[in-house]
Amino acid sequence: MLILPAIDILDGNAVRLTQGDFKKEFKYSRYPEETALEWQEAGAQFLHVVDLDGAKKGALSNIFTIKRIIDNINIPIEVGGGIRKMSDIDNLLDIGVERVIIGSAAVEDPEFVQEAADNFGDQVVIGIDARDGIVAVHGWCDSGEMEAKELAARIGDFGISTIIFTDIARDGMLKGIDAEQVAEIAEHSGISVIASGGVTSLDDIRNLKAHEDSGIVGAVIGKALYEGVIDFSEALKIAE
């Protein structure tokens, strides 16, 4: 199981939001590329990067910052936030992004998702962000008016191999993750799921690890790592 440190970019800075609320921003660094290098040196094998400006605006906004991250490390990254066009995917893959995360478009533009899956295969993953079981879109600002389980069940039909599932209500709250809910999404979709939102303790990682058979293959961790609530080296040992 992979542990993916999260780097969220807003106005070129590495930040964390609480429950996706842009009014509850905490800035961790002016230089996300330095943060990325620190995680690599700590043993990370993959990084999870979100363009928060892009997610809110519906247009990729921090590609130059993302490029600086890639130039500063030698481990793969996945990027999401505001990816609505094939040219967005092309541009990100061209600068060295390993995987591109499609979020809102999975609800609003299934034809785009199918085309992306056909053209780029496993380099495309779907981000399902849900609040109380209902998908949220546009940087978590709006309701997608669809149950997360329903969307997850459709994903496999596109030929997508991985979902990143985020429980918005738990994101940034340090209240722990609902491993059973993540496992249910994995079982409902029949494809691999990376858990995100609320991973707070080593027990959370153990619980996710215990559900590997359901299809959980990784965990994205943000605030708990930045605030030292989780020891990254211990998290890696449990996951591996």
Side-chain angles (χ1 to χ4, degrees):
M1 189 174 83
L2 275 177
I3 300 294
L4 297 87
I7 300 177
D8 291 352
I9 303 170
L10 186 66
D11 295 327
N13 302 302
V15 306
R16 292 301 298 167
L17 306 182
T18 299
Q19 294 183 313
D21 188 340
F22 284 81
K23 296 178 182 178
K24 298 178 181 178
E25 168 201 342
F26 184 87
K27 186 185 299 182
Y28 283 104
S29 173
R30 292 177 55 197
Y31 305 103
E33 64 273 21
E34 294 181 359
T35 302
L37 183 58
E38 289 172 2
W39 289 126
Q40 175 181 291
E41 291 175 342
Q45 298 175 355
F46 216 114
L47 295 180
H48 176 84
V49 178
V50 177
D51 179 350
L52 290 174
D53 298 288
K56 190 174 183 180
K57 297 173 184 176
L60 190 63
S61 302
N62 281 291
I63 193 163
F64 295 111
T65 302
I66 294 165
K67 181 65 164 61
R68 289 204 310 272
I69 290 174
I70 292 168
D71 289 345
N72 216 42
I73 60 175
N74 54 29
I75 58 174
I77 73 170
E78 60 187 22
V79 174
I83 297 165
R84 307 281 198 277
K85 301 179 294 184
M86 295 300 293
S87 59
D88 293 334
I89 301 176
D90 279 323
N91 290 338
L92 288 170
L93 296 181
D94 283 347
I95 66 170
V97 171
E98 181 69 19
R99 295 195 303 217
V100 174
I101 306 163
I102 296 175
S104 300
V107 177
E108 300 173 334
D109 192 354
E111 291 183 1
F112 165 65
V113 176
Q114 186 63 70
E115 184 180 0
D118 290 343
N119 288 346
F120 302 108
D122 289 345
Q123 287 187 288
V124 173
V125 301
I126 299 298
I128 298 180
D129 306 325
R131 182 182 284 109
D132 298 325
I134 303 299
V135 175
V137 295
H138 307 149
W140 300 355
C141 297
D142 302 315
S143 172
E145 298 182 353
M146 179 185 297
E147 287 191 0
K149 289 193 298 183
E150 179 185 348
L151 179 58
R154 297 180 182 184
I155 298 305
D157 294 337
F158 293 127
I160 299 291
S161 62
T162 305
I163 290 169
I164 299 172
F165 176 72
T166 302
D167 184 343
I168 297 171
R170 293 173 181 267
D171 187 75
M173 298 299 290
L174 300 179
K175 290 185 176 180
I177 197 162
D178 185 345
E180 287 72 23
Q181 180 183 211
V182 181
E184 186 177 5
I185 292 291
E187 291 167 352
H188 212 71
S189 65
I191 61 179
S192 300
V193 174
I194 296 172
S196 175
V199 178
T200 304
S201 68
L202 296 178
D203 280 341
D204 284 333
I205 298 169
R206 292 186 184 97
N207 288 337
L208 291 170
K209 181 78 172 174
H211 287 84
E212 272 189 311
D213 288 347
S214 69
I216 297 175
V217 297
V220 173
I221 312 180
K223 189 173 184 178
L225 288 179
Y226 287 97
E227 299 197 356
V229 178
I230 289 181
D231 183 293
F232 187 47
S233 62
E234 291 300 317
L236 291 175
K237 290 176 185 177
I238 293 169
E240 293 169 358

